[in-house]
Amino acid sequence: MDKKIFLEILNKYNQGKASEQEIEMLHAYYDLFDAEQNVLEQMAANQRDDVKQQIAASIAAQMHLTPVKKPTFSLNIKWLAAAAVLVLVFSVGILLFNNEETKQNLDERQAAAVVIKPGSNQAILTLADGSTIGLNEKGNGVIVQRAGLKVIKSLDGQVQYESDGEAAPSINTIATPRGGQYQLVLEDGTKVWLNAASSIKFPTHFAGSQRAVDITGEVYFEVAKNKKMPFIVRTQNQQIEVLGTHFNVNSYTDEAKETTTLLEGSVKVAKLKNGAVQVGASKIISPGQEASLTSVDKAISVNPADLEAAVSWKNGYFKFDKADIQTVMRQISRWYNVDVKYNGEISADLFVGKIKRTEDIAGVLRILELSKINTSVKGRTIVITN
């Protein structure tokens, strides 16, 4: 949408002549001023602020309220997809309530849910001798020092391994709980991001002909290049072999399939069965592609990937592209460390859009409520009622 059309709709809105669809669009744009590369970027800063204040004032006048701090996002637009499936779109904006009863119900839910905060940097390091260290409980600096090995926690919270390569390598594990995430730099310089409820098992330094690690859950890698020593990632069902590249692996056991998404370089994905690579069951994928399989698949499927969605968790938000409510809630459950219970028929609506991972659970429930998904909070359980 260009600047002229946007300002025309804004003028109609201020005169009370805008259609329902145009009003929804303006509400959606309200909080996009500082986040999106769109028509608003064409405006000078003072003009942008002017328009923003106009929208806020008009909304407040219509609601008989004074302007308040705007929420991070809301659901604003609905449409019927070609397949006659209702797609509910998340977009940032100001929340409008149909009536006082709805507002009161939402306020009660938010009050009940406010104690459920988003995840944070937390993980457990397990050393070769079985001893454990809570990484979020340790200060910055050297947290482990053994013969030929240093484990350092940096100012930004990540853990880095340094080895002189002389002592025999030992196996360490870093695991995040639900509601946790962590960053790690392996001894060879490979950077690792762990999502919630994930783990990586790795040697304190790499020796021999390959660099091999084992993971569970979801992990993003930026592998340091070493043509003489390929980097191997093993999950329950797949083995990924790379020389130096950026890729994401989603291997949660409660997801329908394991997926490897390639952003840069080239990887070879092979099917594992009982820990052994299956002959003839491998594929090489290129940037922009994803390889997926389940434990019962005979072959690996390769398809175009939504790269933004694949690594959105690493970049601080959720992105959904026609995801059903169960897919949405699995991600919410891991990040907020909550359980989910469904009452009644599960909604068939599909969700599209983004949610910041810094938002507390009240904001997420607000979106679901505006999507006609009834929610309630009982302890650390989110109840979805349809």
Side-chain angles (χ1 to χ4, degrees), residues 280-300:
S282 65
K283 293 284 181 68
I284 294 176
I285 62 173
S286 302
Q289 293 182 323
E290 65 178 23
S292 60
L293 75 158
T294 69
S295 59
V296 298
D297 287 339
K298 294 182 179 180
I300 297 169

Side-chain angles (χ1 to χ4, degrees), residues 22-146:
E22 289 168 335
I23 291 172
E24 287 185 341
M25 184 218 62
L26 287 176
H27 294 165
Y29 265 72
Y30 179 79
D31 213 9
L32 289 174
F33 278 74
D34 304 314
E36 294 294 326
Q37 303 295 316
N38 55 26
V39 59
L40 304 170
E41 202 175 55
Q42 302 170 33
M43 301 180 187
N46 60 343
Q47 186 180 18
R48 230 176 14 246
D49 290 342
D50 244 11
V51 173
K52 196 171 184 180
Q53 289 174 15
Q54 285 182 53
I55 298 177
S58 294
I59 291 172
Q62 290 187 29
M63 295 175 67
H64 306 290
L65 295 173
T66 54
V68 296
K69 183 179 179 182
K70 56 189 181 298
T72 307
F73 51 82
S74 72
L75 178 137
N76 296 99
I77 306 167
K78 302 178 184 179
W79 73 86
L80 288 176
V85 177
L86 179 64
V87 179
L88 302 177
V89 179
F90 296 162
S91 63
V92 292
I94 192 160
L95 292 175
L96 295 180
F97 302 98
N98 292 330
N99 52 56
E100 191 61 32
E101 181 181 0
T102 303
K103 183 181 185 302
Q104 183 178 350
N105 290 343
L106 283 173
D107 288 343
E108 289 174 357
R109 287 188 176 91
Q110 291 169 29
V114 72
V115 296
I116 302 178
K117 297 295 184 181
S120 59
N121 287 342
Q122 51 180 315
I124 299 294
L125 167 62
T126 302
L127 303 175
D129 61 5
S131 59
T132 60
I133 298 172
L135 295 176
N136 50 304
E137 299 168 2
K138 286 288 185 179
N140 301 323
V142 177
I143 57 175
V144 176
Q145 186 159 8
R146 305 279 170 91

